[in-house]
Amino acid sequence: METPTLIIITLLCAAGAYILGRNRASDIASRGSQQGTLHSLPYYYGLLSSLWCAVPCLMIVLIWTLLDDYAVHAAIVNVLPESAQTLPENEVDLMVNTVINLALYPNSLISSSTPDYLIQAGQDYLRWQQLSQLSLTVVVLISLVLAFSLSWNLIKAKVKARQQVERVFQWTLLLCASIAILTTIGIVLSVLFESLRFFQSINFFEFIFGTHWSPQTALRIDQVGASGAFGAVPLFVGTLLISFIAMLIAVPVGLMSAIYLSEYATPKFRAVVKPMLEILAGIPSVVYGFFAALTVAPFIRDSGHFLGLEVSSESALAAGLVMGVMIIPFVSSLSDDVLKAVPQSLRDGSLGLGATQSETIKRVVIPAALPGIISGVLLAASRAIGETMIVVMAAGLAAHLTANPLESVTTITVQIVTLLVGDQEFDSPKTLSAFALGLMLFMVTLALNYVALYVVRQYREEYE
Amino acid sequence: MRKMNHKSATRQQPSTIELVNRNLAKRKRAEWRFRVYGIGAILFGFVCLLILFTDIVGKGHGAFFKTQIQLQLSLDSESLQVTNPSSEQLENANYDAVIENALLTDNSALMASELSALDKRQLLSLVSTGAVYDLQKMLIDTPEQLNHEVSMWLTADDDVDNYVKSRTRNEQGFSGRLTEQQQKWVDRWLEQGQIRQTFNTTFFTSGDSREPEQAGIRGALMGSLYMLLVTIGLSFPIGISAAVYLEEYAPRNRLTDFIEVNINNLAAVPSIIFGLLGLAIFIGFFDMPRSIPLVGGLVLTLMTLPTIIISSRAAIKAVPQSIRDAAYGLGASKMQVVLHHVVPLAMPGMLTGAIIGFAQALGETAPLLMIGMVAFIVDVPADLLDPASALPVQIFLWADSPERAFIERTSAAIMVLLAFLIAMNGLAVWLRHRLGRGH
């Protein structure tokens, strides 16, 4: 049987086990005095039996599927001739792939020039595949029967079904909660592992401090410019330049609108305006990218030409401006929260001394809310640094080392995208450099987020 | 200023009120300025929003209409090269010849001399290459039309489309990529009423295409839908479970603290990093195929999980402790308290947060680029394992196309995407109002 069919059968059995278990428990309960009263409600016994059915069988299917590929791979390698087995690892992998393809599409791929041992291995592969599937079916069915009879005997008045079910429930919840940690570990490991491979061929300091970025490595060793240059400083500068422009827009506008909304606006005005401003944050960044590339960038170029300035058609200014607009609601809602958290007594004290409202805000409220505002700005900066689509569409690809916002620059995220889109081999420094850039990006944003979250935590405790 | 005041104060002792009044006008102006800054900031946000929307709608509304040309087609079996009207023959019939004949006879009145080869090619290029499929479908549906003369509206080429639309907008001197000769032909058709604009169903029913007039968003829409299904199916239950564990079960210790900091950090990790994770784990390690909605959905699941966990925790926190105490008091177990009382009461808040998370996932592009969902795919995907595109990725791809007609289509696709997002956010607001009542 196919694996999906097996899973469905298992689930059906689990459902059946639930009904049978519950009924049997009810029976025992109704007989009452003979065997003592039931420990838990009948449906807990039902749940317990279905868990006994489903969990072990699904585990078997999962583990089997995971190990299956490796086992078959090893078996194929085993029947290949000695000369093939001693080849380097990736060539052996390639040969195994050929064998599998030959077995799956014999009509279109096998020709007279195909070596016999490959065809033979392909047929072996098909046989093993069938054998593996057959034995999986048998094992799952046997364990279903076993689990079923075992759980049938489990239903006794003294068995603490509720405790057992609740323990499984709690472990499941813990498993779900730890997926967040697993994701982080996954990110760190995958990015770090590939980056280490990159740093084996490229010097770490050359990557961090080098000022020339041109990752196009050649296909052949003897080609011109075969090595490629991986100095990431122009990317760092470009990223910072665009983020700086974005923050220049987002921080004052976001902060001022938050101040107005939380300090001056009537509740009605606030209820209407705040969600409307937040629409800006809900628009996908690819839309901003399109807007930046097709409307803002040409506008800036034309007005620059009108003023007699040399503006490139993909300028850092265009990407930064649009990114700033995107981040406004982010800054504004974070500052809004911290402004609201400032106790009213501070404002009353200041107003009572005769200060105007703006003086109160500038001298009392903002200083009191400053840590929260700073953490909001840090989070916004981390978002600006990690933003991809706007810069991919509007910032350009050329790695210029410049501080001029009218020139085109490139950023870390743009380079990651251009390096990894399309089919690439997984072990050239060109592809791996994207992971090294990803590592840099992850570390920087992680540090910013961590500081920001830490500041917020410290600050929140002050008024509580 | 202030120092001088102070000096004179020691001599003449002016009253406090005098001192205050002296500065009052200035302070009031400062107060007024500060308010203006605030209003200005809000206005700036609105103006940006307004410009963005008008720009998109202005560029994109045209894509909902397509230009068609009316031609007299003579469907004689000779030029179709059909001997008997069986459907296999009709499928492979020579429709190009019929359209060619129709175009030539239609314009014979205009052309005294014979057409040069170049002219002929220019004439033929006015009708979309997709028109033959419309004709084929019509003839297979109604085979009795064979050997009859029919009048049919055929889809025009995107250049004709652009030209006609720019004329109705009164743009002077726009010719796009049409030559003067081609413009004359189109102008004559316009005069004779042989050109019309109809609702562009192709845009909603077909997949991607290199020809703008045949390109549609159906494939991308289905791809987005499948990914969203995977994301909803995985991230909602897992997110809620994690939130329940952290709020109701977890002991306050270092491990829980660590999980909590981790989730908050993950919520702020750039989306492209999740793309790298998906590339390394799902495609590199587990050897799953590129460009399939399943992998896209998995990556988006990992990305939306932190958002859902954070909002679900807030919803669970908002459930009053008295409800838990009452249930415990009646002898409920922990699981019963959680499943029968806490989760149902927190559900509206959880749903609201989740829908906002899904809306973000729907608009996400960068991680999908990493796992190869940028491939040019014409077919509409049929299941989770078919290569597919996604709506935001389609927007990204079209935005890169040089043809002017694709700008129109990109903007229209953006309008569709925004409509979905607004609908989802509206649903979240409605849920909060509808289900949130009562406690």
Side-chain angles (χ1 to χ4, degrees), chain B residues 80-104:
Chain B
L80 278 171
Q81 296 170 359
V82 172
T83 46
N84 72 322
S86 69
S87 64
E88 293 104 68
Q89 279 210 337
L90 286 183
E91 257 171 41
N92 300 318
N94 190 359
Y95 296 104
D96 286 311
V98 172
I99 293 175
E100 196 179 320
N101 283 341
L103 279 167
L104 292 176

PDB file of all heavy atoms in Angstrom, chain B residues 80-104:
ATOM      1  N   LEU B  80      -9.021  25.819 -43.692  1.00  0.00           N
ATOM      2  CA  LEU B  80      -8.770  25.228 -42.372  1.00  0.00           C
ATOM      3  C   LEU B  80      -8.017  23.913 -42.500  1.00  0.00           C
ATOM      4  O   LEU B  80      -7.506  23.388 -41.514  1.00  0.00           O
ATOM      5  CB  LEU B  80     -10.097  24.961 -41.658  1.00  0.00           C
ATOM      6  CG  LEU B  80     -10.732  26.143 -40.939  1.00  0.00           C
ATOM      7  CD1 LEU B  80     -12.129  25.776 -40.484  1.00  0.00           C
ATOM      8  CD2 LEU B  80      -9.904  26.579 -39.768  1.00  0.00           C
ATOM      9  N   GLN B  81      -7.996  23.354 -43.706  1.00  0.00           N
ATOM     10  CA  GLN B  81      -7.404  22.032 -43.959  1.00  0.00           C
ATOM     11  C   GLN B  81      -8.085  20.961 -43.123  1.00  0.00           C
ATOM     12  O   GLN B  81      -7.460  20.146 -42.459  1.00  0.00           O
ATOM     13  CB  GLN B  81      -5.900  22.039 -43.694  1.00  0.00           C
ATOM     14  CG  GLN B  81      -5.172  22.966 -44.646  1.00  0.00           C
ATOM     15  CD  GLN B  81      -3.740  23.176 -44.267  1.00  0.00           C
ATOM     16  OE1 GLN B  81      -3.277  22.645 -43.274  1.00  0.00           O
ATOM     17  NE2 GLN B  81      -3.038  23.947 -45.066  1.00  0.00           N
ATOM     18  N   VAL B  82      -9.425  21.001 -43.155  1.00  0.00           N
ATOM     19  CA  VAL B  82     -10.201  20.010 -42.421  1.00  0.00           C
ATOM     20  C   VAL B  82     -11.020  19.222 -43.418  1.00  0.00           C
ATOM     21  O   VAL B  82     -11.651  19.809 -44.304  1.00  0.00           O
ATOM     22  CB  VAL B  82     -11.148  20.704 -41.413  1.00  0.00           C
ATOM     23  CG1 VAL B  82     -12.086  19.692 -40.783  1.00  0.00           C
ATOM     24  CG2 VAL B  82     -10.350  21.416 -40.358  1.00  0.00           C
ATOM     25  N   THR B  83     -11.004  17.891 -43.328  1.00  0.00           N
ATOM     26  CA  THR B  83     -11.794  17.099 -44.251  1.00  0.00           C
ATOM     27  C   THR B  83     -13.134  16.706 -43.641  1.00  0.00           C
ATOM     28  O   THR B  83     -14.158  16.764 -44.297  1.00  0.00           O
ATOM     29  CB  THR B  83     -11.022  15.838 -44.680  1.00  0.00           C
ATOM     30  OG1 THR B  83     -10.464  15.253 -43.513  1.00  0.00           O
ATOM     31  CG2 THR B  83      -9.939  16.157 -45.687  1.00  0.00           C
ATOM     32  N   ASN B  84     -13.127  16.278 -42.409  1.00  0.00           N
ATOM     33  CA  ASN B  84     -14.418  16.051 -41.752  1.00  0.00           C
ATOM     34  C   ASN B  84     -14.365  16.645 -40.343  1.00  0.00           C
ATOM     35  O   ASN B  84     -13.301  16.690 -39.726  1.00  0.00           O
ATOM     36  CB  ASN B  84     -14.760  14.558 -41.709  1.00  0.00           C
ATOM     37  CG  ASN B  84     -13.899  13.819 -40.731  1.00  0.00           C
ATOM     38  OD1 ASN B  84     -12.716  14.130 -40.617  1.00  0.00           O
ATOM     39  ND2 ASN B  84     -14.468  12.869 -40.022  1.00  0.00           N
ATOM     40  N   PRO B  85     -15.492  17.171 -39.878  1.00  0.00           N
ATOM     41  CA  PRO B  85     -15.462  17.954 -38.621  1.00  0.00           C
ATOM     42  C   PRO B  85     -15.367  17.094 -37.362  1.00  0.00           C
ATOM     43  O   PRO B  85     -16.155  17.249 -36.448  1.00  0.00           O
ATOM     44  CB  PRO B  85     -16.779  18.734 -38.676  1.00  0.00           C
ATOM     45  CG  PRO B  85     -17.681  17.917 -39.507  1.00  0.00           C
ATOM     46  CD  PRO B  85     -16.836  17.149 -40.472  1.00  0.00           C
ATOM     47  N   SER B  86     -14.418  16.179 -37.316  1.00  0.00           N
ATOM     48  CA  SER B  86     -14.186  15.483 -36.048  1.00  0.00           C
ATOM     49  C   SER B  86     -13.345  16.408 -35.177  1.00  0.00           C
ATOM     50  O   SER B  86     -12.658  17.294 -35.650  1.00  0.00           O
ATOM     51  CB  SER B  86     -13.437  14.184 -36.303  1.00  0.00           C
ATOM     52  OG  SER B  86     -12.128  14.470 -36.711  1.00  0.00           O
ATOM     53  N   SER B  87     -13.408  16.203 -33.894  1.00  0.00           N
ATOM     54  CA  SER B  87     -12.785  17.186 -33.003  1.00  0.00           C
ATOM     55  C   SER B  87     -11.260  17.120 -33.057  1.00  0.00           C
ATOM     56  O   SER B  87     -10.597  18.119 -32.843  1.00  0.00           O
ATOM     57  CB  SER B  87     -13.274  16.990 -31.582  1.00  0.00           C
ATOM     58  OG  SER B  87     -12.861  15.746 -31.101  1.00  0.00           O
ATOM     59  N   GLU B  88     -10.700  15.922 -33.404  1.00  0.00           N
ATOM     60  CA  GLU B  88      -9.233  15.889 -33.493  1.00  0.00           C
ATOM     61  C   GLU B  88      -8.757  16.775 -34.636  1.00  0.00           C
ATOM     62  O   GLU B  88      -7.789  17.501 -34.503  1.00  0.00           O
ATOM     63  CB  GLU B  88      -8.702  14.468 -33.742  1.00  0.00           C
ATOM     64  CG  GLU B  88      -8.912  13.504 -32.611  1.00  0.00           C
ATOM     65  CD  GLU B  88     -10.047  12.559 -32.903  1.00  0.00           C
ATOM     66  OE1 GLU B  88      -9.901  11.727 -33.808  1.00  0.00           O
ATOM     67  OE2 GLU B  88     -11.090  12.659 -32.227  1.00  0.00           O
ATOM     68  N   GLN B  89      -9.483  16.708 -35.722  1.00  0.00           N
ATOM     69  CA  GLN B  89      -9.095  17.540 -36.861  1.00  0.00           C
ATOM     70  C   GLN B  89      -9.295  19.002 -36.551  1.00  0.00           C
ATOM     71  O   GLN B  89      -8.480  19.840 -36.932  1.00  0.00           O
ATOM     72  CB  GLN B  89      -9.907  17.130 -38.087  1.00  0.00           C
ATOM     73  CG  GLN B  89      -9.339  15.908 -38.780  1.00  0.00           C
ATOM     74  CD  GLN B  89      -9.630  15.924 -40.262  1.00  0.00           C
ATOM     75  OE1 GLN B  89     -10.577  16.573 -40.694  1.00  0.00           O
ATOM     76  NE2 GLN B  89      -8.832  15.214 -41.020  1.00  0.00           N
ATOM     77  N   LEU B  90     -10.375  19.308 -35.837  1.00  0.00           N
ATOM     78  CA  LEU B  90     -10.637  20.711 -35.516  1.00  0.00           C
ATOM     79  C   LEU B  90      -9.592  21.255 -34.561  1.00  0.00           C
ATOM     80  O   LEU B  90      -9.278  22.428 -34.561  1.00  0.00           O
ATOM     81  CB  LEU B  90     -12.031  20.856 -34.902  1.00  0.00           C
ATOM     82  CG  LEU B  90     -13.191  20.715 -35.895  1.00  0.00           C
ATOM     83  CD1 LEU B  90     -14.509  20.958 -35.192  1.00  0.00           C
ATOM     84  CD2 LEU B  90     -13.033  21.676 -37.056  1.00  0.00           C
ATOM     85  N   GLU B  91      -9.037  20.355 -33.728  1.00  0.00           N
ATOM     86  CA  GLU B  91      -8.017  20.817 -32.803  1.00  0.00           C
ATOM     87  C   GLU B  91      -6.756  21.258 -33.528  1.00  0.00           C
ATOM     88  O   GLU B  91      -6.087  22.197 -33.118  1.00  0.00           O
ATOM     89  CB  GLU B  91      -7.670  19.694 -31.807  1.00  0.00           C
ATOM     90  CG  GLU B  91      -8.289  19.907 -30.442  1.00  0.00           C
ATOM     91  CD  GLU B  91      -8.116  18.705 -29.542  1.00  0.00           C
ATOM     92  OE1 GLU B  91      -7.022  18.122 -29.568  1.00  0.00           O
ATOM     93  OE2 GLU B  91      -9.079  18.341 -28.850  1.00  0.00           O
ATOM     94  N   ASN B  92      -6.442  20.536 -34.609  1.00  0.00           N
ATOM     95  CA  ASN B  92      -5.180  20.839 -35.293  1.00  0.00           C
ATOM     96  C   ASN B  92      -5.372  21.634 -36.573  1.00  0.00           C
ATOM     97  O   ASN B  92      -4.456  21.742 -37.374  1.00  0.00           O
ATOM     98  CB  ASN B  92      -4.453  19.529 -35.614  1.00  0.00           C
ATOM     99  CG  ASN B  92      -4.148  18.760 -34.360  1.00  0.00           C
ATOM    100  OD1 ASN B  92      -3.746  19.345 -33.371  1.00  0.00           O
ATOM    101  ND2 ASN B  92      -4.384  17.459 -34.394  1.00  0.00           N
ATOM    102  N   ALA B  93      -6.571  22.191 -36.775  1.00  0.00           N
ATOM    103  CA  ALA B  93      -6.837  22.894 -38.030  1.00  0.00           C
ATOM    104  C   ALA B  93      -5.997  24.158 -38.145  1.00  0.00           C
ATOM    105  O   ALA B  93      -5.466  24.655 -37.155  1.00  0.00           O
ATOM    106  CB  ALA B  93      -8.321  23.237 -38.111  1.00  0.00           C
ATOM    107  N   ASN B  94      -5.898  24.667 -39.341  1.00  0.00           N
ATOM    108  CA  ASN B  94      -5.037  25.815 -39.603  1.00  0.00           C
ATOM    109  C   ASN B  94      -5.818  27.122 -39.406  1.00  0.00           C
ATOM    110  O   ASN B  94      -6.296  27.730 -40.354  1.00  0.00           O
ATOM    111  CB  ASN B  94      -4.509  25.709 -41.048  1.00  0.00           C
ATOM    112  CG  ASN B  94      -3.432  26.736 -41.308  1.00  0.00           C
ATOM    113  OD1 ASN B  94      -3.107  27.523 -40.433  1.00  0.00           O
ATOM    114  ND2 ASN B  94      -2.906  26.721 -42.503  1.00  0.00           N
ATOM    115  N   TYR B  95      -5.971  27.526 -38.158  1.00  0.00           N
ATOM    116  CA  TYR B  95      -6.759  28.712 -37.860  1.00  0.00           C
ATOM    117  C   TYR B  95      -6.033  29.984 -38.260  1.00  0.00           C
ATOM    118  O   TYR B  95      -6.649  30.990 -38.561  1.00  0.00           O
ATOM    119  CB  TYR B  95      -7.131  28.751 -36.376  1.00  0.00           C
ATOM    120  CG  TYR B  95      -8.016  27.606 -35.972  1.00  0.00           C
ATOM    121  CD1 TYR B  95      -7.510  26.519 -35.266  1.00  0.00           C
ATOM    122  CD2 TYR B  95      -9.368  27.607 -36.307  1.00  0.00           C
ATOM    123  CE1 TYR B  95      -8.318  25.468 -34.910  1.00  0.00           C
ATOM    124  CE2 TYR B  95     -10.189  26.556 -35.954  1.00  0.00           C
ATOM    125  CZ  TYR B  95      -9.655  25.480 -35.257  1.00  0.00           C
ATOM    126  OH  TYR B  95     -10.457  24.450 -34.922  1.00  0.00           O
ATOM    127  N   ASP B  96      -4.688  29.911 -38.215  1.00  0.00           N
ATOM    128  CA  ASP B  96      -3.905  31.088 -38.591  1.00  0.00           C
ATOM    129  C   ASP B  96      -4.294  31.569 -39.985  1.00  0.00           C
ATOM    130  O   ASP B  96      -4.424  32.770 -40.237  1.00  0.00           O
ATOM    131  CB  ASP B  96      -2.406  30.760 -38.559  1.00  0.00           C
ATOM    132  CG  ASP B  96      -1.900  30.653 -37.143  1.00  0.00           C
ATOM    133  OD1 ASP B  96      -2.191  31.571 -36.360  1.00  0.00           O
ATOM    134  OD2 ASP B  96      -1.233  29.656 -36.816  1.00  0.00           O
ATOM    135  N   ALA B  97      -4.502  30.587 -40.905  1.00  0.00           N
ATOM    136  CA  ALA B  97      -4.829  30.931 -42.289  1.00  0.00           C
ATOM    137  C   ALA B  97      -6.159  31.677 -42.355  1.00  0.00           C
ATOM    138  O   ALA B  97      -6.295  32.651 -43.112  1.00  0.00           O
ATOM    139  CB  ALA B  97      -4.898  29.657 -43.126  1.00  0.00           C
ATOM    140  N   VAL B  98      -7.133  31.230 -41.543  1.00  0.00           N
ATOM    141  CA  VAL B  98      -8.451  31.874 -41.567  1.00  0.00           C
ATOM    142  C   VAL B  98      -8.339  33.326 -41.128  1.00  0.00           C
ATOM    143  O   VAL B  98      -8.867  34.239 -41.771  1.00  0.00           O
ATOM    144  CB  VAL B  98      -9.410  31.100 -40.634  1.00  0.00           C
ATOM    145  CG1 VAL B  98     -10.722  31.857 -40.485  1.00  0.00           C
ATOM    146  CG2 VAL B  98      -9.655  29.714 -41.179  1.00  0.00           C
ATOM    147  N   ILE B  99      -7.590  33.529 -40.022  1.00  0.00           N
ATOM    148  CA  ILE B  99      -7.443  34.900 -39.513  1.00  0.00           C
ATOM    149  C   ILE B  99      -6.682  35.756 -40.517  1.00  0.00           C
ATOM    150  O   ILE B  99      -7.033  36.921 -40.775  1.00  0.00           O
ATOM    151  CB  ILE B  99      -6.737  34.869 -38.141  1.00  0.00           C
ATOM    152  CG1 ILE B  99      -7.660  34.200 -37.118  1.00  0.00           C
ATOM    153  CG2 ILE B  99      -6.385  36.265 -37.689  1.00  0.00           C
ATOM    154  CD1 ILE B  99      -7.048  33.993 -35.766  1.00  0.00           C
ATOM    155  N   GLU B 100      -5.664  35.136 -41.131  1.00  0.00           N
ATOM    156  CA  GLU B 100      -4.871  35.867 -42.125  1.00  0.00           C
ATOM    157  C   GLU B 100      -5.764  36.330 -43.283  1.00  0.00           C
ATOM    158  O   GLU B 100      -5.741  37.493 -43.683  1.00  0.00           O
ATOM    159  CB  GLU B 100      -3.760  34.933 -42.627  1.00  0.00           C
ATOM    160  CG  GLU B 100      -2.652  35.644 -43.355  1.00  0.00           C
ATOM    161  CD  GLU B 100      -1.572  34.675 -43.797  1.00  0.00           C
ATOM    162  OE1 GLU B 100      -1.249  33.759 -43.005  1.00  0.00           O
ATOM    163  OE2 GLU B 100      -1.081  34.827 -44.913  1.00  0.00           O
ATOM    164  N   ASN B 101      -6.563  35.378 -43.803  1.00  0.00           N
ATOM    165  CA  ASN B 101      -7.473  35.707 -44.899  1.00  0.00           C
ATOM    166  C   ASN B 101      -8.414  36.833 -44.525  1.00  0.00           C
ATOM    167  O   ASN B 101      -8.640  37.770 -45.298  1.00  0.00           O
ATOM    168  CB  ASN B 101      -8.318  34.479 -45.273  1.00  0.00           C
ATOM    169  CG  ASN B 101      -7.505  33.500 -46.093  1.00  0.00           C
ATOM    170  OD1 ASN B 101      -6.470  33.885 -46.654  1.00  0.00           O
ATOM    171  ND2 ASN B 101      -7.954  32.262 -46.159  1.00  0.00           N
ATOM    172  N   ALA B 102      -8.961  36.709 -43.309  1.00  0.00           N
ATOM    173  CA  ALA B 102      -9.935  37.710 -42.860  1.00  0.00           C
ATOM    174  C   ALA B 102      -9.298  39.085 -42.810  1.00  0.00           C
ATOM    175  O   ALA B 102      -9.879  40.071 -43.252  1.00  0.00           O
ATOM    176  CB  ALA B 102     -10.475  37.314 -41.493  1.00  0.00           C
ATOM    177  N   LEU B 103      -8.068  39.143 -42.262  1.00  0.00           N
ATOM    178  CA  LEU B 103      -7.386  40.436 -42.157  1.00  0.00           C
ATOM    179  C   LEU B 103      -7.127  41.015 -43.536  1.00  0.00           C
ATOM    180  O   LEU B 103      -7.299  42.214 -43.773  1.00  0.00           O
ATOM    181  CB  LEU B 103      -6.061  40.266 -41.409  1.00  0.00           C
ATOM    182  CG  LEU B 103      -6.166  40.222 -39.888  1.00  0.00           C
ATOM    183  CD1 LEU B 103      -4.856  39.743 -39.283  1.00  0.00           C
ATOM    184  CD2 LEU B 103      -6.520  41.588 -39.335  1.00  0.00           C
ATOM    185  N   LEU B 104      -6.713  40.151 -44.474  1.00  0.00           N
ATOM    186  CA  LEU B 104      -6.367  40.630 -45.811  1.00  0.00           C
ATOM    187  C   LEU B 104      -7.602  41.115 -46.550  1.00  0.00           C
ATOM    188  O   LEU B 104      -7.606  42.198 -47.140  1.00  0.00           O
ATOM    189  CB  LEU B 104      -5.652  39.537 -46.598  1.00  0.00           C
ATOM    190  CG  LEU B 104      -4.259  39.195 -46.070  1.00  0.00           C
ATOM    191  CD1 LEU B 104      -3.665  38.038 -46.849  1.00  0.00           C
ATOM    192  CD2 LEU B 104      -3.350  40.409 -46.153  1.00  0.00           C
TER     193      LEU B 104
END
